[in-house]
Amino acid sequence: MRRSRLALTITFLAASGTMLLHSASAAVESEEVRFENHRFVPQTIKVTAGKPVMLKVTNASEETIEFESFKLNREIVMTPHETITVRLPALNPGSYDFYDDFHQDVPEGAIVAK
Amino acid sequence: MIKCPQAFVMGLLLFTPLLCPHQARAQLDPWEFEVYPYATEPRGMLEVETDNAVVANGHSQGGNGTAAGTFRSQAMWYNGNELTYGLTDRIEGAAYLNFAQPSGHGFWWAGDKFRLRGRLFDQGTLPVDLGWYLEFEYHKTPQFDDAAWELELKPIMEKDFGPLSLIANPVFEKVLSGPGGNQGFEFGYRNGVYYRWTRYLSPGVEFYGAIGLIDDNDPLGEQQHYIVPVVWGELPHGIEYNVGPGIGLTPGSDHVFVKFNLELERFVGAIFGPTLERSWFF
C-alpha cells in the first residue's frame, strides 16, 4: 500500500515536472537583433511583459563587440559573425537598455516590454 | 563599535546557517573585499583591478580582527592587485599580488593568489545562476598569516529579481601548509545585495564573515562579521568602482574599515573560440 502510494507520488511529480518544463518552454518569446554597419538592427525590440524572452543576437560585422545590458545584467563578448542566444526572464513593463560596450559611439538600443 | 545587535545577527543567520560557537581561529581575506557574481570575465578580456581596504579602527594586537599574522590590524592598508583574463565564455583565470602597509612598518609584500573561476550553464537557464571558484593562496608568514598555503573553494550563486541581484559566495578554506594543516575546512561567506539604479552610480550592501572550522566554530565573539554598504558603478574611460565602509559586528571583528576597489577591463584577444551550444562547463 505504502509502496504504491510512493510510486503514485513519484509518477505525479514527474508528470507535473514534465508539464511545467513543457509549458515553460512553450511560453518563451523569441526575438532577434543584428549588429551591422556599426549599429543594432532593430534598435528597439518590443516584447510581451511577463513572458520570458530568448533573444538571438548576431554580430554580422567584422568588429568584436560586447553585447551588454546594465538593467538586464547581461555582458557577452561576440567575435565577428558570431551568434548567441540571450535568455531573459519575464520582464516587468518598461524599457531596458542594451549597447555595445566596446564602442561608445554605437547608438544604444532598447528592449521595450509592454 | 556595534555590539552585535539582534537584528544584525538575525540577518547574518539568514546568510550563515552554520553559526554556532565553539573553538578555533577563523580568518577572512582582507585583501579582497569583493563578492563574486555569476558572470565571469568575458572571453578574451583582460581586467586589471586594485582592491584596497584601510582599517580605520581596528585591533592593537596581531592575530585579531583582519590581521591573521604578527602585525596589528589598526591602521593597516591592505592592497591587492589582480590580473584576470577571460579564458573561455565560462572560465577565467587570475593572479594576485598582495601588499600591505602595517602602521609604522612601511610597504610589505604580503603574498600571492592564483585562481580559476567559472560559470555553469547559460545565464537564466537555472532558477539560480551557479558558478565555482578555486584558489590557492600564499601568505608571507608570520607577519601576515601563520599558514603559508591555503586552498579556497567557493560555490557562487546569483539570483536577479528585476533590478535587484542577490549574490552568495559561501567560502570553504583549508590550510595546506602551516599550523592547522591537519585540520578540516573553515567556513566563511561573502554575500551581497545590489540594486541596479544607473550604470554610473548604484547602491548595494555586502556581508563578509568567517566562523572558524566547520566542525569546531569559534566562539561568536571571536568570529568576524562585517556589513558593508557600498556604492558602485562606472567612471569615465570604463573604470569601475566599488566603495564603502565596513562595520564590524562582533568584538573579534575590526571595528571600521573602508574599502575601495577599482577595475578596468579591455579586450586583448581570445585564445579559445566561442563556447559550443549545449556546453555547460567549458
Side-chain angles (χ1 to χ4, degrees), chain A residues 51-67:
Chain A
K51 255 186 166 181
V53 180
M54 295 277 258
L55 181 63
K56 192 171 155 189
V57 186
T58 301
N59 177 7
S61 75
E62 298 300 325
E63 304 171 273
T64 297
I65 66 166
E66 186 176 39
F67 178 82

Side-chain angles (χ1 to χ4, degrees), chain A residues 70-73, chain B residues 37 123 158-167 192-196 205 232:
Chain A
F70 174 77
K71 285 190 174 173
L72 296 169
N73 193 19
Chain B
Q123 195 167 8
E158 178 170 344
K159 178 72 182 170
D160 292 342
F161 295 95
L164 207 64
S165 291
L166 307 185
I167 305 176
V193 180
Y194 303 92
Y195 181 79
R196 284 186 297 282
V205 184
W232 56 283

Side-chain angles (χ1 to χ4, degrees), chain B residues 239-277:
Chain B
I239 297 169
E240 293 174 21
Y241 69 92
N242 179 315
V243 185
I247 298 155
L249 302 177
T250 59
S253 311
D254 280 336
H255 308 151
V256 179
F257 67 81
V258 178
K259 70 166 248 187
F260 50 104
N261 299 350
L262 295 172
E263 62 187 56
L264 177 67
E265 54 181 28
R266 288 284 180 266
F267 183 74
V268 294
I271 297 175
F272 298 102
T275 292
L276 299 172
E277 285 281 329

Side-chain angles (χ1 to χ4, degrees), chain B:
Chain B
M1 177 194 142
I2 293 174
K3 288 187 179 169
C4 238
Q6 259 186 336
F8 281 131
V9 176
M10 286 302 290
L12 284 170
L13 281 169
L14 287 173
F15 285 85
T16 52
L18 294 176
L19 274 180
C20 50
H22 270 294
Q23 289 278 303
R25 182 86 204 112
Q27 70 167 21
L28 174 145
D29 184 358
W31 280 273
E32 195 181 22
F33 283 106
E34 181 173 1
V35 179
Y36 279 94
Y38 157 84
T40 51
E41 196 60 35
R43 170 172 42 99
M45 293 279 270
L46 183 72
E47 182 188 84
V48 182
E49 180 170 344
T50 173
D51 299 330
N52 298 276
V54 175
V55 180
N57 187 357
H59 288 267
S60 55
Q61 298 266 321
N64 289 298
T66 53
T70 54
F71 285 128
R72 62 181 184 167
S73 66
Q74 174 59 31
M76 180 96 82
W77 168 30
Y78 297 102
N79 167 241
N81 299 283
E82 175 184 347
L83 212 54
T84 307
Y85 176 70
L87 294 164
T88 72
D89 286 313
R90 299 202 195 286
I91 299 174
E92 66 176 35
Y96 297 66
L97 262 178
N98 288 342
F99 299 95
Q101 188 172 334
S103 179
H105 288 88
F107 203 62
W108 285 66
W109 167 68
D112 299 307
K113 298 196 292 185
F114 308 94
R115 69 163 170 82
L116 287 173
R117 182 167 80 94
R119 57 167 105 177
L120 302 174
F121 301 100
D122 282 333
Q123 195 167 8
T125 305
L126 301 176
V128 175
D129 293 316
L130 299 175
W132 56 272
Y133 184 109
L134 165 70
E135 179 177 270
F136 290 95
E137 302 174 4
Y138 176 75
H139 306 116
K140 181 164 178 53
T141 56
Q143 291 88 349
F144 296 101
D145 207 310
D146 49 4
W149 282 97
E150 286 179 326
L151 166 71
E152 187 176 298
L153 304 171
K154 278 198 288 247
I156 293 168
M157 290 162 265
E158 178 170 344
K159 178 72 182 170
D160 292 342
F161 295 95
L164 207 64
S165 291
L166 307 185
I167 305 176
N169 298 172
V171 180
F172 299 91
E173 196 173 78
K174 168 94 180 76
V175 174
L176 298 178
S177 81
N182 57 349
Q183 293 177 319
F185 278 85
E186 292 178 332
F187 179 79
Y189 60 90
R190 298 158 166 264
N191 302 325
V193 180
Y194 303 92
Y195 181 79
R196 284 186 297 282
W197 184 41
T198 75
R199 277 171 75 179
Y200 311 103
L201 181 70
S202 290
V205 184
E206 297 174 350
F207 306 87
Y208 299 90
I211 66 165
L213 291 164
I214 289 176
D215 55 354
D216 193 9
N217 306 156
D218 292 346
L220 184 59
E222 290 178 21
Q223 296 176 10
Q224 292 188 72
H225 297 285
Y226 299 95
I227 183 167
V228 188
V230 294
V231 288
W232 56 283
E234 203 175 305
L235 298 169
H237 308 291
I239 297 169
E240 293 174 21
Y241 69 92
N242 179 315
V243 185
I247 298 155
L249 302 177
T250 59
S253 311
D254 280 336
H255 308 151
V256 179
F257 67 81
V258 178
K259 70 166 248 187
F260 50 104
N261 299 350
L262 295 172
E263 62 187 56
L264 177 67
E265 54 181 28
R266 288 284 180 266
F267 183 74
V268 294
I271 297 175
F272 298 102
T275 292
L276 299 172
E277 285 281 329
R278 296 184 178 279
S279 153
W280 61 275
F281 180 78
F282 189 73

Side-chain angles (χ1 to χ4, degrees), chain A residues 40 42-46 94-99 107-113:
Chain A
F40 288 104
Q43 216 160 313
T44 302
I45 303 164
K46 289 180 182 162
S95 179
Y96 301 85
D97 62 346
F98 67 87
Y99 45 90
E108 199 170 292
I111 297 169
V112 178

